[in-house]
Amino acid sequence: MKRKWRTTVFLVSAVIFCIAGYNLWTLRPVSILYVEADWRSPVIVVDHFPLTDKDRINWFLNHENEIKKHYGIITELTTSIDVIDAAGGFFRLEDYPQEDLYCFDSIKSDKRCVQKNIVLEIEIHVPGVVDFQTGNGLTYRISDDGKIETKSY
């Protein structure tokens, strides 16, 4: 009986710890660290991106106008946008030659590369028709009534 009680306490503690950790993660805001302003396929480098597909898509939708205004990277010619999570920060290419890195020539520093951890791909077909890929193999689209739905082929 004593062993069963300890196991229950351990499991409850683990669940509480996981919920607390998730809540702390989601309360911390996303930071835009760098923007590569390619006119057709810009790249946004962020830190602390949301964990769930829905939260990732909602982050972009909630910040799309701000990104357009502040960085000027979303125009009528933009066809796609990649969002890269640089939680590890920027690296020197020479220090990680075997890693899959995305390096920015426009950064005039030794530390100009991030791990190629694409957490959101936004594909713009025409205004109002946008697909979102989050790395889990699913593609999402905003429905006519504004809901995020899995795109079926």
Side-chain angles (χ1 to χ4, degrees):
M1 184 71 168
K2 196 174 193 180
R3 185 175 179 167
K4 190 174 186 179
W5 181 80
R6 281 190 211 163
T7 303
T8 303
V9 169
F10 173 76
L11 290 174
V12 169
S13 298
V15 168
I16 290 171
F17 180 74
C18 289
I19 291 170
Y22 177 78
N23 285 334
L24 287 174
W25 183 267
T26 58
L27 291 175
R28 192 171 152 211
V30 175
S31 298
I32 296 177
L33 302 177
Y34 185 73
V35 174
E36 176 89 343
D38 185 317
W39 64 278
R40 289 186 55 109
S41 297
V43 175
I44 302 171
V45 180
V46 297
D47 184 20
H48 194 76
F49 211 58
L51 299 174
T52 67
D53 292 352
K54 184 178 178 181
D55 288 344
R56 290 174 180 192
I57 293 167
N58 280 329
W59 176 85
F60 177 77
L61 295 173
N62 292 335
H63 292 86
E64 182 177 10
N65 289 332
E66 175 187 338
I67 292 167
K68 277 182 191 178
K69 186 177 180 180
H70 187 71
Y71 298 102
I73 62 168
I74 303 172
T75 69
E76 62 277 349
L77 299 175
T78 304
T79 57
S80 66
I81 302 167
D82 287 340
V83 179
I84 297 176
D85 189 357
F90 287 85
F91 305 104
R92 289 171 17 112
L93 177 61
E94 296 79 18
D95 293 340
Y96 299 92
Q98 303 302 317
E99 295 288 327
D100 189 14
L101 299 178
Y102 194 110
C103 298
F104 300 95
D105 293 332
S106 55
I107 295 179
K108 303 302 178 201
S109 169
D110 288 348
K111 292 184 177 182
R112 60 184 185 83
C113 302
V114 294
Q115 287 186 331
K116 198 179 284 184
N117 181 18
I118 299 174
V119 291
L120 183 63
E121 295 177 67
I122 301 129
E123 193 173 324
I124 304 165
H125 301 288
V126 294
V129 180
V130 180
D131 289 341
F132 300 91
Q133 296 176 342
T134 58
N136 64 6
L138 295 176
T139 300
Y140 299 90
R141 186 174 279 176
I142 308 300
S143 67
D144 291 337
D145 59 355
K147 294 180 183 174
I148 299 171
E149 296 179 346
T150 304
K151 181 181 169 187
S152 57
Y153 291 96

